[in-house]
Structures are given as structure tokens and as C-alpha cells.
Amino acid sequence: MSDAQTSEDVSTKRLKVAERAKREPEARLLALARLIDEEMLTEAYERIRNDAAVGVDGVKKEQWGKALLANVQGLHERMKQGRYRHQPVRRVHIPKESGKTRPIGISCIEDKVVQNALTMVLEIIYEPVFLDCSYGFRPGRNAHDALRTLNAECMSGKINWVLEADIESYFDSINRKQLMEMLRQRVNDESFMRLIGKCLHVGVLDGEQYTEPSTGTAQGSSLSPLLGNVYLHHVLDVWFEREAKPRLKGHACLVRYADDFVIGFELEHDARRVMEALSKRMARFGLRLHPEKTRLLPFNKPPFGQSGGKGPGNFDFLGFTLYWRRTRRGHWAQNFRTRKARQRRSRQAIDDFCQRQRHKSVKEQHAALRRRVHGHINYFGVNGNIDSIAGLVRATERSWYKWLRRRSNRTRLTWQRFRELLRAFPLPRPQVKVQLWATLT
């Protein structure tokens, strides 16, 4: 059989599974492990970032790829025979804005290939059943889409109360047994389930300390976001839309991005009922709402004649603070600005970068700074947030100037000379990259 015929057969198998997944959203699907063949494993390898961090074996993507065909064939054979074993993940700690750290598990390249392949199959069978309120780590959906939906709900005048929720250590708290039971509602293939189990029940190497956690999914695994979506699909999305929402007297909406979510309510009574029931619902599945970061607040649209430039109340979601402000014509509109803690973190990260890179050439520093500032603007450059973006660009200029001046004591860089340097090496201009709503007047 030719390679073209094999590729066509594989595509046909995936297509058939995808069609049945859409046609029968309640069905349990068979023969999923057979979809993971050498072609899919190769595609899974290509999805890994070229600069991906190395796992406990120290092998980089480029090294593993030098013998790609042999490695893929060997991996596929071991998976078919049930001899594949997931190696321990290497844990690193990423600083958080709260002063704490976020543990990230780094898998070996071979394990990342398997994780990517499992994710590809799970996407085929779960995308047709995931609800519209879910936006995180889904094809064709992103954080800006979630913010647009939330903005439209608030501007409709039907949202007067907002439940801002935070799940404590979500990915570390997932009950694996309950997760596997949820997956079996959609998956009727024990070979496939064993592969998922091998990616869940892995050891963790933190420095020289080795542990085997009994709960959670490793943050940093490409499979974890999708498994996290499956868990909250059952715990939160389906429960709210099909059980809680029909019992409410007023309008309500849920907007979720991974484990970050808000619920808007028309009536305070509904909001308090759901908040009480939600804590109990989470506890049934080993989850806990953070007592200090979860709150219920009034967020009704102020009346037209109300004085002042800003409305009462604000809350945070996906790196933004949402609040009411007046437009030029005196109307009230829901607006976004970069969350203060996120803005401070971004400025500090750029300052640290300028310090570390100050001995490199100006051209190299400029190229790297432009990439960083562009990345920030591409996400936070939404209409209504231009002042926060401009503040980040000004802070970048100050940091760059400060650390360039310290490169040499012989010729001090003056601010005037730095301005001339900026004309030759300009930083990105503050601009709106994403429209979250129509232009406000």
C-alpha cells in the first residue's frame, strides 16, 4: 500500500469518528486507540515548539527528530503492545504575581508526542459536546472571544450582579478517578483509556525529590488543558446550563476560560442561591473556591443621568479589570483596562530583561524588546485600554534607557542621545489591535 493510500485511510478513519461524534453527542466511541498511528505521532511531534524545554532525559526536540522515523516507529510499536511508559516529569516553579510560585511539569519529548496525539483524538470527540460558554484551549476560540461575550451580556442591561470565581489549585485538585469516569461516558476503548491513565499517573521530580501525586494533572502537559476542560464541562458547565439555570427566576450567563470563570445574574437572589450551591457542587468533585478571591458584587449598568466618570464596582477576568465608564456622549459603557497586578508584572519582566541583556548589541536588544512589547499589545491592545498600553511602552523606554546607561561609565548615555537612538530603533506604538465592541461615542 502506498503512503498516499495510507494517509487517505487515516484521514477517512478520523473523519468517520468526527462525523459520528457530531451526529451522536451521547454515544460512547470505539476504536480510538487505532487512530493514533505513525502519521498522527509525526504530526504530534511537529506540534511541539522548537524551543520546548527538556524533560528528565535532557533530550531536545531537535535531537529526537534526527531519527524521527525510527523513534516514531518504535514508540508506535510500544504503544500497540502496551509497553509504553510515561517518564517522570521535571518540575519547575514559575513566580506568580502574588509572590507564590506556580509548579509546572515538563515532560520528555516522547511523552509530549503521546500527549499531543491523545489531545488530537479527544478534541475530535469532545468539541461537538463542549458548550458555548467554554472558551479556553479550544480550536477557533480564545480569550478575546470570552471577553466579547461577557461585554455583550453586560451591555444588554440584563446583568446586575457578577460572581467572580477562583478555584484553588485547580489542576492539582482534579480527582483522577472521577475524571476517568467522565471520560468513559464518551470513550468505549480501554486501550485508549490506559494511555490517558499513563499520562495522568506519573511521578514528579522536583530537584532531587521524587513524588507520585495521587490527584491532579501536571500543569505544563499539553493534555492537561483538555482534560481540565472535560472535568469542568461536567462539574460546572452542564450543571449550570441544565440544572441550575432553569431554576432561576431571572437571566444568567456563564463565561469560562479554562478554570477562570465568571457568572452574571439579573437578580441578586439568584446570584446568592447559585453561589451557595456552587461551593457544594465543587466540593463533590474535590474542588474548592478560593474564599478571598471568590466574591459576589453588584455590576449593574448605571442610569444615564448618574454623575461621575466611573460606575460602581469592578472585577478582574483574564488579565483585565472590567468596569463601567462614561462615553463622550454621556452614556455608560462597560470597559476594559489591564489589571494593575498584571501591568506591574509586565513592567518588571521587561526591566529584568533589559538588565540581563544590556551587554548585547543595541540591534539584538531592540529586536527582542519589540517582540515582547508586540506580544503584550496583541493581547492587551483592546479598545478602551490605550492608556495602559501607552504606559507599558513608556516603562519599556525608561528601563531600556536605564540599563543602556549602565553599560559603560566612560560615555554616559544622555536622554537626548537615547531619543535619537529610538528614532533609529523605535519601539512599537500603542494601538488597538482587538475590537471587543463597536466604537464608543
Side-chain angles (χ1 to χ4, degrees), residues 101-140:
T101 61
R102 183 189 305 278
I104 300 295
I106 301 176
S107 303
C108 300
I109 296 298
E110 178 180 90
D111 298 323
K112 289 178 181 178
V113 171
V114 176
Q115 293 165 16
N116 282 349
L118 290 170
T119 301
M120 291 161 66
V121 176
L122 287 173
E123 279 182 353
I124 292 173
I125 64 177
Y126 272 100
E127 270 305 304
V129 299
F130 281 154
L131 303 185
D132 288 341
C133 60
S134 168
Y135 290 87
F137 304 102
R138 293 184 59 188

Side-chain angles (χ1 to χ4, degrees), residues 2 15 18 21 51 67 96 109 139 185 196 205 217 235 274 300 343 429 435:
S2 68
L15 184 60
D51 60 347
K96 296 171 63 175
I109 296 298
Q185 294 180 29
I196 293 177
L205 190 63
T217 66
V235 175
V274 169
N300 55 298
Q343 186 84 337
R429 296 179 58 187
Q435 296 285 338

Side-chain angles (χ1 to χ4, degrees), residues 380-396:
F380 288 101
V382 305
N383 41 353
N385 195 38
I386 197 70
D387 289 344
S388 296
I389 296 299
L392 188 281
V393 174
R394 289 194 299 270
T396 302

